[in-house]
Amino acid sequence: MKRVALFTLSLLALASFGASAQDGTLGKIKSSGAITVGHRDASLPFSYYDDKQQPIGYAMDLCMKIVDAVKAELKMPALKVNYQLVTSANRIPLMANGTIDLECGSTTNNIPRQEQVWFTITHFVTANRWVSKKSSNVKKLADLKGKTVVSTAGTTNIKQITEINAAQNLGMNIISANGHPEAFQMVETGRAVAFVMDDILLAGLAAQSRSPGDYEISADALSVEPYGIMVRKDDKTFKAFVDKAMTDVYKSGQINAIYSKWFEKPVPPKNINLNLPMGAAFKKVVANPTSSGDPKVYE
């Protein structure tokens, strides 16, 4: 009798686990027959439009690995994938309100943001720097004193440079742009001396400009920025699921080919090659996957 009772409890536990796996995001995806992927339009090489206005990039490739895992888990090979364009300003609200299920871009995972959304395993480690024209001769932060500086609305970068400006009494005129291309254009046209943003994004924008040799990215770094794919907060089942999917990509070695494709080879539509081998900080993540929002973990 006792064995029967234990067997029954085991079945109930398995049924409970199965039911919980179908709640939250996985349940939403199964019932709707679709997964909605948030993407960017100009975050090269992470998430951007190709010449056919299709979202492509490094983060998009990783998200498609997660989508494949979802299809297998739900036994839905024909699962529809919907794409939703997001911006720096609306990506977190669109995740929080259930509009998107994955956000595949260049979003910094930090502890304050984890109050609103969660992140899966870190897929890149960058730093907050600035780009300026070489002719401006901006070598260090103090050289920006009293100057006009731009950053993108809704980013950790604009928040940080605003805090630094106040703390160090630099008197900078900080303006916000609606997107990375607009911000870079302000430097290009002389409306701003510098654009503060993640160095990898600055490198991509400079490489795409009319005169790449005119620009330089600061040696000084204002912060360490780990990127993560966003998922909804408090959905422990889905986070565990996507973490496993990402970890499988890392441990199987697939990450090496995906990384090389976007950072060490020419990428469409202009065949720009960033020539950026995998850095020590990200190699550390690949060896020991983490979704920590603490920058010290990546130093």
Side-chain angles (χ1 to χ4, degrees), residues 133-144:
K133 286 187 175 179
K134 291 177 180 176
S135 57
S136 298
N137 201 32
V138 177
K139 302 297 183 185
K140 54 187 184 296
L141 187 61
D143 295 333
L144 291 172

Side-chain angles (χ1 to χ4, degrees), residues 24 27 40 52 58 87 111 170 177 179 185 224 233 261 292 299:
R40 305 299 298 275
K52 296 178 182 176
Y58 172 69
T87 66
I111 292 168
L170 293 172
Q185 189 179 53
V224 174
K233 184 186 175 187
K261 172 184 173 182
S292 175
E299 292 176 355

Side-chain angles (χ1 to χ4, degrees), residues 30 76 78 99 102 131 133 161 203 218 226 252 268-269 296:
K30 185 171 185 178
M76 298 176 71
T99 300
L102 295 169
V131 67
K133 286 187 175 179
I161 195 63
S218 66
S252 67
K296 292 180 180 178

Side-chain angles (χ1 to χ4, degrees), residues 114-235:
Q114 290 176 8
E115 293 298 316
Q116 302 175 73
V117 293
W118 280 355
F119 295 83
T120 187
I121 303 299
T122 295
H123 63 262
F124 195 81
V125 183
T126 184
N128 188 14
R129 304 180 196 267
W130 66 84
V131 67
S132 60
K133 286 187 175 179
K134 291 177 180 176
S135 57
S136 298
N137 201 32
V138 177
K139 302 297 183 185
K140 54 187 184 296
L141 187 61
D143 295 333
L144 291 172
K145 187 170 185 176
K147 303 289 199 318
T148 296
V149 173
V150 65
S151 191
T152 308
T155 62
T156 56
N157 312 76
I158 195 166
K159 181 176 182 290
Q160 185 177 57
I161 195 63
T162 300
E163 291 170 351
I164 290 171
N165 190 38
Q168 299 188 24
N169 196 28
L170 293 172
M172 290 183 285
N173 173 34
I174 299 172
I175 54 178
S176 64
N178 290 325
H180 304 326
E182 179 183 303
F184 187 84
Q185 189 179 53
M186 288 183 182
V187 175
E188 201 170 30
T189 57
R191 286 179 288 165
V193 170
F195 170 26
V196 177
M197 185 44 58
D198 301 336
D199 53 12
I200 182 60
L201 300 181
L202 296 177
L205 290 162
Q208 294 177 82
S209 69
R210 296 185 191 92
S211 305
D214 289 353
Y215 302 93
E216 61 183 0
I217 297 171
S218 66
D220 289 352
L222 304 178
S223 68
V224 174
E225 307 280 324
Y227 285 174
I229 292 167
M230 278 198 295
V231 296
R232 263 182 291 288
K233 184 186 175 187
D234 296 328
D235 192 340

Side-chain angles (χ1 to χ4, degrees), residues 267-298:
V267 299
K270 298 181 180 179
N271 290 321
I272 292 167
N273 191 337
L274 295 174
N275 290 308
L276 187 69
M278 192 181 291
F282 185 53
K283 283 182 179 179
K284 182 179 172 185
V285 174
V286 171
N288 297 286
T290 178
S291 59
S292 175
D294 182 357
K296 292 180 180 178
V297 170
Y298 305 93

